Amino acid sequence: MTIKNLVPVLLLAGTVAFTSCKSSVPDAEVKSKVEAVVTSGVTVDVKDGVVTLNGTVNSDADKAAVEAAVKALDAKEGVKSVTNNLSVAAPLPATPAPEINTADADLQAKVGDATKDFPTVQATVKDGIITVTGEIEKAKVTKLKQSLDNLKPKKTDMSAVTVK
Amino acid sequence: MSLQDKYKALIEAANSGVSDLRIGESEGVLHIQGTAPTAEIKNRLWDIYGSIDPNFLTGDVVMDVDVAGAVAGSKVEVITESSNLNIRKGPGTDQPIVGKAAKGEIITLVSKANDQWWLVRTNDGEEGYSYAQYLNPVG
């Protein structure tokens, strides 16, 4: 191969390198790659490889972690730079820890009283969790839930209840 | 979505209206405890909760908010669905019934045996224990 023949090849190679440097990955593709690594509540916008993050996370640490995860996708994946506009949610107010009753025998006895006026449902207690089954009128659901939550269980599971 | 995001409106309402507030997450459940100044505010919290999680089927919140003003010697209203409220000899549904109070009747709170059972006295002088969920403090 002569030098003369090599020139177009080099030119071509240069063009390819140049375009790949500029933006070889479509923005939409970059967006889906970035969305795969960010936490829920974060929205992703990509323009010419520049990634902008918006939304709310729970802490400064989460904010930094999301940015780091996106930056770990390098230029080869189409991420040129990251603009981090994430805001940090106000933390839960500093209140004393809630009381939770995990004594099954105590809960079971109280659940009997609490559900006495709701004969169409059954409630059982295991590991501090009250599980309710059966069916109940819509108008009584709140009262039932209030009565059970008043016992301060770990959880009141009414997912199996049919509301008429 | 985190529990705090999901129940943001509820937490904010509790923050602005409930005293002795205790909020915390434990094993995927958000616990909210405290004292509301009136039954209206307590009911509003339950309305907000019910609008976020209809019929409370998800079970990711345990909310125990009582109403202030329920102190010994104060008046409470019977808020049963329709029937009379049983007044029992001791704190428990296994205890014999010693009297009844009608729905809407205003009776006297004598003392609190615990969160669930309150010692009450009717205007006829009947005294015994009733289930606190059916008693509402009146101003």
Side-chain angles (χ1 to χ4, degrees):
Chain A
M1 193 183 276
T2 65
I3 299 281
K4 203 178 174 183
N5 285 341
L6 240 176
V7 172
V9 175
L10 284 173
L11 275 176
L12 189 63
T15 319
V16 169
F18 182 68
T19 33
S20 76
C21 224
K22 195 185 172 210
S23 177
S24 63
V25 188
D27 285 344
E29 208 171 295
V30 177
K31 187 171 191 291
S32 63
K33 279 181 183 166
V34 172
E35 280 173 342
V37 299
V38 300
T39 50
S40 66
V42 177
T43 58
V44 177
D45 288 301
V46 182
K47 193 167 191 311
D48 300 331
V50 176
V51 177
T52 304
L53 303 172
N54 283 300
T56 308
V57 290
N58 287 332
S59 67
D60 286 320
D62 287 352
K63 180 178 173 176
V66 169
E67 182 174 334
V70 176
K71 280 184 170 166
L73 301 169
D74 53 14
K76 205 172 79 183
E77 314 257 20
V79 176
K80 278 187 190 163
S81 66
V82 179
T83 306
N84 189 346
N85 292 338
L86 293 175
S87 57
V88 176
L92 280 180
T95 64
E99 297 166 46
I100 300 173
N101 186 354
T102 54
D104 282 0
D106 182 57
L107 274 176
Q108 186 69 63
K110 289 176 175 171
V111 160
D113 288 350
T115 55
K116 184 190 143 279
D117 286 340
F118 306 96
T120 56
V121 299
Q122 297 79 44
T124 55
V125 176
K126 191 170 189 298
D127 301 328
I129 296 171
I130 302 174
T131 304
V132 190
T133 55
E135 53 180 40
I136 191 167
E137 293 155 49
K138 171 85 179 155
K140 289 185 174 178
V141 174
T142 304
K143 198 80 193 172
L144 173 63
K145 169 78 168 159
Q146 285 176 347
S147 296
L148 294 173
D149 280 8
N150 179 243
L151 311 178
K152 302 182 173 66
K154 215 188 263 185
K155 177 176 181 164
T156 305
D157 184 353
M158 306 207 329
S159 57
V161 172
T162 307
V163 179
K164 291 186 290 186
Chain B
M1 189 173 14
S2 76
L3 281 175
Q4 295 166 43
D5 284 339
K6 182 178 175 185
Y7 292 103
K8 196 162 177 264
L10 181 60
I11 292 171
E12 280 172 3
N15 255 325
S16 61
V18 174
S19 58
D20 302 326
L21 188 63
R22 291 164 176 252
I23 295 186
E25 266 186 65
S26 172
E27 300 181 39
V29 177
L30 183 68
H31 292 260
I32 301 173
Q33 298 169 355
T35 304
T38 63
E40 286 68 36
I41 290 182
K42 174 185 169 178
N43 292 340
R44 194 160 55 86
L45 291 174
W46 279 95
D47 287 346
I48 296 170
Y49 176 16
S51 69
I52 299 172
D53 182 20
N55 296 331
F56 318 107
L57 297 184
T58 313
D60 49 7
V61 169
V62 170
M63 182 159 73
D64 179 27
V65 173
D66 55 14
V67 178
V71 293
S74 65
K75 296 287 180 187
V76 290
E77 182 186 0
V78 176
I79 52 162
T80 47
E81 290 288 328
S82 57
S83 55
N84 290 331
L85 177 68
N86 289 330
I87 299 175
R88 294 174 182 274
K89 190 176 181 190
T93 50
D94 53 346
Q95 296 287 313
I97 296 168
V98 295
K100 288 186 185 287
K103 182 191 179 186
E105 197 176 330
I106 310 287
I107 58 178
T108 305
L109 169 62
V110 178
S111 66
K112 293 178 179 178
N114 54 44
D115 274 357
Q116 285 79 45
W117 290 96
W118 292 357
L119 181 61
V120 293
R121 190 188 316 116
T122 66
N123 299 330
D124 301 336
E126 291 172 340
E127 195 170 295
Y129 294 85
S130 286
Y131 207 63
Q133 287 285 310
Y134 297 105
L135 297 169
N136 223 359
V138 288

